[in-house]
Amino acid sequence: MPDTPASATASVADLSPGRGIVMSSRVRLARNLKHHSFPGWLKKKQREDLLGVIQAAVTRLPEMREPFLSRAMDAFNPLEKQTLVEEHLISREQAAKNSGSGLVINSDRTLSVMINEEDHLRLQAIHSDLHLEEAWRAVDRIDSELEDGLNFAFSPTLGYLTACPTNVGTGMRASVMLHLPGLVLGDQVNQVIKSVNQLGLTVRGLYGEGTEALGNLFQISNQTTLGESERDILNRLLKVIQHLIEHEHNARQKIARERRRVVADQLGRAYGVALHAYAMSSKEALNLLSLLILGVDLGFWPASLRAKLDDLFIHTQPAHLQQAAGKKLSAEERDAFRADLLREKLKSVPAPNIKRLKGI
Amino acid sequence: MPDTPASATASVADLSPGRGIVMSSRVRLARNLKHHSFPGWLKKKQREDLLGVIQAAVTRLPEMREPFLSRAMDAFNPLEKQTLVEEHLISREQAAKNSGSGLVINSDRTLSVMINEEDHLRLQAIHSDLHLEEAWRAVDRIDSELEDGLNFAFSPTLGYLTACPTNVGTGMRASVMLHLPGLVLGDQVNQVIKSVNQLGLTVRGLYGEGTEALGNLFQISNQTTLGESERDILNRLLKVIQHLIEHEHNARQKIARERRRVVADQLGRAYGVALHAYAMSSKEALNLLSLLILGVDLGFWPASLRAKLDDLFIHTQPAHLQQAAGKKLSAEERDAFRADLLREKLKSVPAPNIKRLKGI
């Protein structure tokens, strides 16, 4: 058995920092208007008035001109709301809101402003890959621009005031979505999560607080917003992310070298099921797609497949699936439609290349 | 959606009684010699002497001439013993015996005589498919022939005397191995087992008493040996088996008609995993093979595949696998070898024919 499977390690070594491991970077700021109660304490009429004021201010920003959408929450149907949640453009909490809450998303869908969620404003920038710095700059810019017209509640000692005390100070939550199948397959992920928590960062699943780590996806974010500048928080987070990328990188090299049979088995099963199942839950789809993506990263499938798999990560989610079907589907119908979609989209993918698994 | 999938129902209807559902039929008789303690109460020397006497008598029978083997249990290595267990030619209990116990198997391996298992003699006939009558006639013949030379312990009131009271009387256990994936997939199997138990029959797993129903295989046998003639026992068993075949037949038609998506999903997954896994337990292999066999019975794969699948049912078992490898393998090595064997043997099997799944 050769020590280093050339095909596998070569492609792992080729990864540029964050590529293939970091899925997306997000920064959001919580802001509130002085002299107004937080949204949860406002009467409906007051919330609606405030929505009008804030929405007007947001859509005047140069970045938000010709927005992808600018709408009150009661103007969405449930499927549209859920689609936005699946794209991480709004929170599940905002999706539950109706009149008096609203949403503005810019034309390229990198900036979203939630109005009257928990706070009067939640400004968010989302970028693919490890572009935390760019996301921060983008959200910081619209924050400064908005501050010219809106009077934000700010305390010289505490910083920005927010509905929930956990956001007081910077009001900032910076987060990075990591794909860590290597650490999961290498049984190291729990230990790594523990270390990350000890560094004052939070690890969550795909859809934020209280959600499972489906598809080997982990969202790392800052826990505290008080007593540290935005810059310090971002630097600390970035440092940890760099470490995690390194750990994941090493875990992949290790399993590709020492646990080739296990890797081949996992990839082969994911491939076999994805190509031949006729019913599949979204949870299973995420886990299979995660393994197929790992297969691409390890060089078992052509790199050109990666974009298709990333795309399926989103398009196998319940709301996206129903958008594609053009109608509401029951859970059973979704599972059937999802399996059909995967078989169709992946039918041209070759079986895992046995030659690259030699020596197992 | 058409009501009756022509391809599926046609092939189900084509089944001759028992074909595709009954795997094998067995009849065994427990016999002991008068004036000798049961094997468990004999000293080693006495057991060895008795083994010599019985082995000589057995090998003199015309049916046992030029036997496949005639040997004391201490002359087998553990792998050879386990291979015989997997072929249902000896019990797990006999496999655990050593000197003083022995075994004679006829040339075509349809008749086996275990010597000094729990009783002095256990005579067994095993036939493939639903050939219970033939099995009974074969074992009855060697029983009569042996009785000419050996003096069997027999009570005019009780019948044949045996070490365990549950065998007293006829000393007969007739059993049929059924493949019931339709009842399992249709969630009806537990109810059916309950009914069978209420009719005084026993339902067991693949390897007899206390074993799991792997691969959707169920062994149905008579519970009592006392107060009923062999003929009555066989007729009762046969009647129940005919009912079970009918039930399984109906269950298959029903799922093929009403649960096509579920069936397609199960068959597709079994196919995908069998063709792409790199490690597989014998339990998983049995369950996958069971589904592939169902696929053949439902017409999704050519009937010519059936023999190969039946063969893999045995050849993926631990001892057979090690015989094929020509050496002892660890559990991990077996799982790898088993997956490699399945991929190799099934690589020419086409993906489940989508056209036959139309309307799902």
Side-chain angles (χ1 to χ4, degrees):
Chain A
M1 189 188 298
D3 252 9
T4 46
S7 61
T9 50
S11 93
V12 170
D14 282 348
L15 292 173
S16 62
R19 231 192 116 211
I21 294 174
V22 179
M23 307 293 282
S24 64
S25 307
R26 270 195 294 165
V27 181
R28 72 108 171 104
L29 299 175
R31 297 291 183 259
N32 289 279
L33 302 194
K34 209 177 265 185
H35 310 307
H36 293 273
S37 303
F38 294 126
W41 282 261
L42 288 177
K43 296 198 190 310
K44 191 179 171 195
K45 176 72 174 66
Q46 296 173 302
R47 261 207 314 275
E48 286 172 349
D49 290 346
L50 210 52
L51 169 59
V53 171
I54 298 172
Q55 201 172 358
V58 170
T59 49
R60 267 196 304 272
L61 298 180
E63 291 84 355
M64 307 305 278
R65 294 248 171 82
E66 296 177 27
F68 169 63
L69 58 81
S70 172
R71 216 186 285 176
M73 292 317 291
D74 53 349
F76 292 93
N77 67 40
L79 207 52
E80 290 170 324
K81 287 178 171 181
Q82 187 55 32
T83 305
L84 294 169
V85 171
E86 290 174 3
E87 290 175 3
H88 299 283
L89 288 170
I90 65 170
S91 63
R92 291 184 296 172
E93 290 72 19
Q94 183 73 346
K97 303 284 188 211
N98 282 303
S99 73
S101 294
L103 180 62
V104 185
I105 296 177
N106 73 340
S107 58
D108 67 359
R109 301 198 283 182
T110 55
L111 287 167
S112 70
V113 179
M114 290 186 276
I115 302 166
N116 290 336
E117 198 235 36
E118 186 181 276
D119 296 295
H120 294 143
L121 292 110
R122 288 276 177 109
L123 318 174
Q124 177 190 275
I126 181 166
H127 284 239
S128 61
D129 300 321
L130 186 54
H131 291 127
L132 200 56
E133 186 64 36
E134 288 84 339
W136 159 245
R137 279 204 298 265
V139 80
D140 184 39
R141 194 177 318 119
I142 59 167
D143 177 44
S144 303
E145 290 168 354
L146 282 172
E147 213 155 13
D148 289 342
L150 301 172
N151 202 354
F152 287 159
F154 183 84
S155 145
T157 48
L158 291 171
Y160 290 100
L161 302 179
T162 55
C164 178
T166 58
N167 292 314
V168 167
T170 59
M172 182 179 84
R173 187 83 62 210
S175 69
V176 173
M177 187 74 79
L178 296 172
H179 184 229
L180 304 177
L183 290 171
V184 173
L185 281 179
D187 289 328
Q188 298 170 60
V189 81
N190 288 329
Q191 189 193 324
V192 165
I193 288 176
K194 214 173 139 191
S195 314
V196 171
N197 286 334
Q198 283 167 346
L199 292 167
L201 298 174
T202 303
V203 183
R204 290 169 173 158
L206 183 53
Y207 292 114
E209 211 165 334
T211 64
E212 255 182 298
L214 298 169
N216 301 317
L217 292 173
F218 297 84
Q219 183 183 303
I220 319 290
S221 61
N222 60 305
Q223 206 164 62
T224 53
T225 51
L226 198 59
E228 224 179 347
S229 73
E230 287 87 347
R231 176 53 52 200
D232 288 346
I233 292 172
L234 289 169
N235 286 345
R236 198 155 54 88
L237 180 61
L238 267 173
K239 216 165 131 185
V240 170
I241 297 298
Q242 293 290 4
H243 271 295
L244 286 172
I245 291 170
E246 194 59 32
H247 272 302
E248 171 66 17
H249 184 99
N250 292 341
R252 290 181 184 189
Q253 284 194 308
K254 194 174 155 71
I255 58 169
R257 203 170 50 234
E258 296 170 16
R259 306 185 66 191
R260 307 191 70 202
R261 171 70 68 169
V262 173
V263 173
D265 186 53
Q266 295 278 328
L267 299 184
R269 284 168 181 267
Y271 174 84
V273 171
L275 264 86
H276 298 289
Y278 277 81
M280 192 176 297
S281 70
S282 79
K283 183 173 165 170
E284 183 181 15
L286 286 173
N287 289 331
L288 293 183
L289 289 167
S290 163
L291 288 167
L292 296 179
I293 288 175
L294 176 66
V296 172
D297 292 347
L298 291 176
F300 290 136
W301 283 291
S304 58
L305 182 59
R306 175 71 197 242
K308 191 185 262 186
L309 295 172
D310 282 344
D311 190 62
L312 283 170
F313 244 129
I314 288 291
H315 285 92
T316 52
Q317 294 302 296
H320 277 79
L321 215 53
Q322 292 173 87
Q323 293 282 15
K327 60 179 174 181
K328 206 168 149 32
L329 302 172
S330 69
E332 198 181 329
E333 289 168 336
R334 286 201 302 274
D335 288 355
F337 195 87
R338 184 179 292 113
D340 294 347
L341 178 74
L342 281 175
R343 287 201 323 282
E344 176 59 30
K345 292 279 182 191
L346 300 176
K347 68 181 177 195
S348 61
V349 177
N353 190 335
I354 306 293
K355 283 182 203 135
R356 298 195 174 175
L357 304 176
K358 261 188 185 157
I360 54 170
Chain B
M1 190 189 299
D3 252 10
T4 47
S7 61
T9 50
S11 94
V12 170
D14 282 349
L15 291 173
S16 62
R19 232 195 112 209
I21 293 174
V22 178
M23 307 294 282
S24 64
S25 307
R26 272 193 292 165
V27 181
R28 73 106 172 106
L29 300 175
R31 297 291 183 257
N32 289 280
L33 302 193
K34 211 178 266 187
H35 311 308
H36 292 273
S37 304
F38 294 126
W41 282 261
L42 288 177
K43 296 201 190 309
K44 191 181 169 192
K45 178 73 174 68
Q46 297 171 303
R47 261 205 316 274
E48 285 171 350
D49 290 347
L50 210 54
L51 169 61
V53 170
I54 298 171
Q55 201 172 356
V58 171
T59 49
R60 266 198 302 272
L61 300 178
E63 291 83 355
M64 307 305 278
R65 293 251 172 79
E66 298 178 26
F68 169 62
L69 59 81
S70 171
R71 216 185 284 177
M73 291 316 292
D74 53 347
F76 292 94
N77 66 39
L79 206 53
E80 289 169 325
K81 288 177 171 180
Q82 188 55 31
T83 306
L84 295 169
V85 172
E86 290 173 3
E87 289 174 4
H88 299 282
L89 288 169
I90 65 170
S91 63
R92 291 183 298 172
E93 291 70 20
Q94 182 74 346
K97 304 282 187 214
N98 282 303
S99 72
S101 294
L103 179 63
V104 185
I105 296 175
N106 74 340
S107 58
D108 67 0
R109 301 196 284 182
T110 55
L111 288 167
S112 70
V113 179
M114 291 186 273
I115 303 166
N116 289 336
E117 198 236 35
E118 186 181 278
D119 297 296
H120 295 144
L121 291 110
R122 290 277 177 107
L123 318 173
Q124 177 189 276
I126 180 166
H127 284 239
S128 59
D129 301 322
L130 186 53
H131 291 128
L132 200 58
E133 187 63 36
E134 289 84 338
W136 160 245
R137 278 204 299 265
V139 81
D140 183 41
R141 194 177 318 120
I142 60 167
D143 176 44
S144 305
E145 290 168 355
L146 282 172
E147 214 155 12
D148 289 343
L150 301 171
N151 203 354
F152 288 159
F154 184 85
S155 144
T157 49
L158 290 172
Y160 290 100
L161 302 179
T162 55
C164 177
T166 58
N167 293 314
V168 166
T170 60
M172 183 180 82
R173 186 84 60 212
S175 68
V176 173
M177 186 75 77
L178 296 172
H179 183 228
L180 305 177
L183 290 172
V184 172
L185 281 179
D187 289 328
Q188 298 171 62
V189 81
N190 288 329
Q191 188 194 323
V192 166
I193 288 177
K194 214 173 140 189
S195 314
V196 171
N197 285 333
Q198 283 167 346
L199 294 167
L201 298 173
T202 303
V203 183
R204 288 169 174 160
L206 184 52
Y207 292 114
E209 210 166 336
T211 64
E212 255 182 298
L214 297 170
N216 302 316
L217 292 173
F218 297 84
Q219 185 183 302
I220 319 291
S221 61
N222 61 306
Q223 207 164 61
T224 54
T225 52
L226 200 58
E228 223 179 350
S229 74
E230 289 87 347
R231 176 52 54 201
D232 287 346
I233 293 172
L234 289 170
N235 285 345
R236 197 155 54 88
L237 180 62
L238 267 172
K239 215 166 132 184
V240 171
I241 297 297
Q242 293 290 5
H243 272 294
L244 286 173
I245 291 170
E246 195 59 34
H247 272 302
E248 171 65 16
H249 185 98
N250 292 342
R252 289 181 185 191
Q253 284 194 308
K254 194 174 154 70
I255 58 169
R257 202 170 50 234
E258 296 169 16
R259 304 185 67 191
R260 308 190 69 202
R261 172 70 69 167
V262 172
V263 173
D265 186 53
Q266 295 278 328
L267 299 183
R269 283 167 181 269
Y271 174 84
V273 171
L275 263 87
H276 298 289
Y278 278 81
M280 192 177 294
S281 70
S282 78
K283 182 172 166 173
E284 183 180 14
L286 287 173
N287 289 331
L288 293 184
L289 289 167
S290 163
L291 289 167
L292 296 179
I293 288 174
L294 176 65
V296 171
D297 291 348
L298 291 178
F300 290 136
W301 283 291
S304 57
L305 181 60
R306 175 71 199 242
K308 190 185 265 186
L309 295 172
D310 282 344
D311 191 62
L312 283 170
F313 244 130
I314 288 291
H315 284 92
T316 52
Q317 293 302 296
H320 278 78
L321 214 54
Q322 292 172 87
Q323 294 282 15
K327 60 179 175 183
K328 205 169 148 34
L329 302 172
S330 68
E332 197 181 329
E333 288 167 336
R334 286 202 301 274
D335 288 356
F337 195 87
R338 183 179 293 114
D340 293 347
L341 179 73
L342 281 175
R343 286 201 323 281
E344 176 59 30
K345 292 279 181 192
L346 300 176
K347 68 182 176 193
S348 61
V349 177
N353 191 335
I354 307 292
K355 283 182 205 137
R356 298 195 173 176
L357 304 175
K358 261 189 185 156
I360 56 170

